[in-house]
Amino acid sequence: MCQHQPPCPSAESADREAAHLVAHHPEQGWSLLCNGVLLFEDTGELLPDGQVIDPHRPMGTGQVVTAA
């Protein structure tokens, strides 16, 4: 359970990614947040109850740049 003041957002909150980092392993592509959420570098998430949140990084513009 979070000991921060004010408490970190819960894993069920829409702003769950705002929780403090507990462990950070960029070489492996993941971080553990105080609320138990595993946050992956592709912006996917694994919640403590096992629910998977698909990656939600912004998509490109969809435009293809060609050389003139």
Side-chain angles (χ1 to χ4, degrees):
M1 193 72 160
C2 178
Q3 301 298 315
H4 298 110
Q5 291 301 323
C8 291
S10 72
E12 295 79 28
S13 298
D15 61 345
R16 64 182 152 259
E17 295 174 15
H20 289 138
L21 285 173
V22 175
H24 183 60
H25 293 278
E27 72 283 359
Q28 296 176 359
W30 62 271
S31 298
L32 176 63
L33 303 180
C34 181
N35 55 11
V37 172
L38 275 173
L39 181 62
F40 297 97
E41 69 179 11
D42 69 353
T43 69
E45 301 171 19
L46 180 61
L47 304 185
D49 65 1
Q51 180 181 358
V52 174
I53 306 296
D54 290 330
H56 49 276
R57 77 169 51 154
M59 300 299 287
T61 61
Q63 297 177 346
V64 177
V65 178
T66 58

